[in-house]
Structure formats: structure tokens, C-alpha cells
Amino acid sequence: MIHHDEASAVHPATLAWVSRHLEAGERVVSAEALHGGITAEMRRLTIGTRDGGTRHLVLRSFVDPSRLEQAEDWLHREAGALTLLPGTGVPAPVLVAVDPTAAHCAYPSLLMTHLAGRTVLDDEGVEERAALLARQLVAIHAVRPVERPRGYVTLTTADTVVTPKGADAQTWAAAIDVIRRPAPSYEGRFLHRDFQPGNVLFDMPSAQPAGARITGVVDWAATSWGPADLDVAHCSANLALLHGPAWGLWFAEAYEKAGGVLAAAADERLYWLVRDALAFSEELDLVSRPWRAAGRSDLTTHVVAERLDAYVTALMGALG
């Protein structure tokens, strides 16, 4: 999960920028690469304090050339969210500094506080953690920003969906037809837009799943304004691929039990659930690779494709 590295591995220009945002007498003494992200390089920086102690910050940098065009928008949105969230009860990092155009850093970068906890992707204890996820998502949707973030962006189209090998063509054709319809009307909410187990940190103080608690929600680069159903659909799809289709179907119920409000009509719920699920068809290896790196070696691209097919089939059977 975490590989030790030297502070010198951070580009000198970026290191100098980070240093300018430290307290007097502080310095970066080491850096560790945090694995699990898809779009950006993440490093945990150990900061030596002037009293001889240490503290940690997290550096997020967009180094992939294919991501640079979007990096400025993503970092502006993340910085906005991290500025908004303190005092809301949503456990998110605090913004320290941001350089969205790489005016000072080697790459577009954001510096933020480090949160305790770790991601947990194991099957054991999933029911307890998923219930916590549902309650946390309700709290996120309760945030009322003075200035709304940009409207949500869909992640797929009917023409770009990739039907998994061996899937029932008729079922998938019907699912694709669902997202050819106009989007249902909705009451807008503040969305994380990538809310899923990989972006939530847990404290697991004991072997008992009931002792788990959420310590942080990270990766706010896709913050948007849109339907609560869309955030629920995204977490549902992730749970279905991580733990099995039944958990994807279960999550919407957990969200409502936690006080969340979803679309009233079954066809409207189906639209959002299917839209997000189908988006995974185009990037199954990209999505599953960090899960395997985090220890879920069982989640091969083939297994994840089978789970996606089973989940889409279950959605169409339950709501279609």
C-alpha cells in the first residue's frame, strides 16, 4: 500500500513550493508514495517541525500527460471543496495550497492535510462499512454551498458502452436503451461524484466490524452539482464489483434508511443506476488495477467483468 521513498524523489521545483507553505523552521524530511489512485500521483510527506517532532501532509500531482488538460479544473474543484467542507461535519482534508496550472510546481499540484485511517476493501465486515458509507453520503448531500460547483458530467454514452464477453446481448441492449432516454428531472445536491470505498478512510480499532468508523473522505476533484441518485449509483456499482452484485442493490436501501432521498419513480432510479454501471464497462482494467494493488488479487479484470454483467442483469430484472 505505501512504499517508502526519499524526499528528493519529489521534483525540486515542487519541493521548493511545498517548503514555502510550511511553518517557520519546518522542512520536508521524507516522502512516501500512496498507491490506489487512478488519476494522480499521491505522496505522504513527513514534515519535521521546529520542536523536533513530525507531522504529515499529502501532495497530489497530476503527472500523466493524458490528464493534464483536465488537471486545472479538477484541482480548482478540489480546492473549492476542501475550502467549503470545514465545519460541515464531513471529515475531509484541509487545503494548504494549490497550484492548478503548474506555475510553481513541476506538475499541477495540491497540498493538503493528512487524515488518519486507511481504505478497507475486504469482504469481511462489508455490511457494517457500507452502512457507514450510506450515512456519510447523506451528510455530504446535506452540504449547502453558497456557490454551487459545476454541474455533473456523465461518464459514458450509449454508443461507447462495451458489452462484456459472454454477457446476454438482449439484456445489455435494453440497458443501453435506458440511457438513450433524456435524463430525469431532479433536485440538485452537492455531490462528491467519486464516492466509493477507495476514497473513504476507516479506523478499524479491533477485529470487530462494529468498531469501524469513518475518519475521512478524500479525492474531491470531481465535486459536482446533480442528483443524489448519481452518487448513490456510483458507490453501488463499486460495491457490486468489489463485493458482489447484491451489495450494489443493497446500498440504495441503506442510503434511504440513513435518511437520504432518491428518485421516487423506479424508471428514474434505474436510469441513474444503469448509467453509472455501464460507465465501468469502458475501463474495467483501469478500475480493478488499484484494487489488486491494494491486496484484492482475486479481482482480476475477468472477475470484475463478470460481476458487472451480473449487476447490470440484476438491475434490469429488479427495476427494468
Side-chain angles (χ1 to χ4, degrees):
M1 293 287 287
I2 298 176
H3 296 273
H4 291 273
D5 199 359
E6 296 299 323
S8 59
V10 180
H11 193 280
T14 304
L15 192 60
W17 174 77
V18 170
S19 297
R20 289 197 294 273
H21 294 282
L22 301 180
E23 301 292 334
E26 292 187 331
R27 63 188 180 92
V28 179
V29 296
S30 66
E32 300 166 330
L34 301 175
H35 294 276
I38 295 176
T39 59
E41 180 183 87
M42 306 287 292
R43 289 185 182 277
R44 184 173 72 174
L45 307 180
T46 299
I47 311 300
T49 60
R50 57 185 175 183
D51 63 0
T54 60
R55 66 186 182 101
H56 299 291
L57 296 174
V58 174
L59 175 68
R60 178 182 178 92
S61 297
F62 288 88
V63 302
D64 185 341
S66 68
R67 306 286 185 178
L68 293 181
E69 186 175 337
Q70 298 164 292
E72 181 176 356
D73 173 57
W74 285 339
L75 289 177
H76 275 303
R77 282 200 272 173
E78 182 154 34
L82 298 188
T83 302
L84 165 71
L85 290 169
T88 64
V90 176
V94 174
L95 177 68
V96 175
V98 63
D99 182 14
T101 61
H104 307 285
C105 301
Y107 304 99
S109 299
L110 183 144
L111 187 66
M112 58 191 143
T113 57
H114 175 264
L115 299 176
R118 62 184 178 90
T119 56
V120 183
L121 306 179
D122 301 335
D123 286 333
E124 184 179 0
V126 61
E127 183 172 357
E128 290 77 12
R129 294 195 310 275
L132 292 174
L133 290 174
R135 290 198 288 272
Q136 184 61 76
L137 192 53
V138 171
I140 291 171
H141 293 162
V143 172
R144 295 293 181 266
V146 174
E147 183 178 344
R148 292 180 181 179
R150 193 185 74 175
Y152 75 90
V153 176
T154 58
L155 303 178
T156 192
T157 70
D159 296 326
T160 56
V161 172
V162 179
T163 302
K165 184 178 180 180
D168 182 76
Q170 186 174 355
T171 298
W172 274 73
I176 292 169
D177 281 342
V178 168
I179 67 170
R180 293 188 193 278
R181 307 171 192 164
S185 58
Y186 61 86
E187 183 177 353
R189 290 285 185 268
F190 179 76
L191 306 182
H192 182 283
R193 198 59 186 96
D194 191 17
F195 185 83
Q196 42 95 0
N199 284 332
V200 178
L201 304 176
F202 286 89
D203 174 32
M204 308 288 286
S206 68
Q208 296 299 320
R213 66 183 182 91
I214 291 176
T215 59
V217 181
V218 298
D219 194 353
W220 295 85
T223 302
S224 309
W225 187 259
D229 286 80
L230 194 53
D231 260 358
V232 171
H234 190 64
C235 193
S236 294
N238 274 273
L239 289 170
L241 301 187
L242 277 166
H243 307 296
W247 291 107
L249 297 171
W250 181 87
F251 186 70
E253 297 179 11
Y255 177 82
E256 289 187 300
K257 286 181 180 178
V261 178
L262 297 173
D267 61 335
E268 294 178 351
R269 295 189 183 204
L270 180 68
Y271 176 89
W272 300 114
L273 289 165
V274 168
R275 173 166 284 288
D276 199 271
L278 294 182
F280 282 86
S281 72
E282 302 174 36
E283 50 185 20
L284 287 174
D285 185 60
L286 182 66
V287 169
S288 59
R289 203 181 306 148
W291 294 341
R292 292 192 293 274
R296 290 297 305 271
S297 58
D298 57 310
L299 294 178
T300 64
T301 303
H302 176 69
V303 166
V304 173
E306 287 186 330
R307 288 188 174 182
L308 177 62
D309 177 33
Y311 178 54
V312 169
T313 300
L315 287 174
M316 295 303 294
L319 298 170

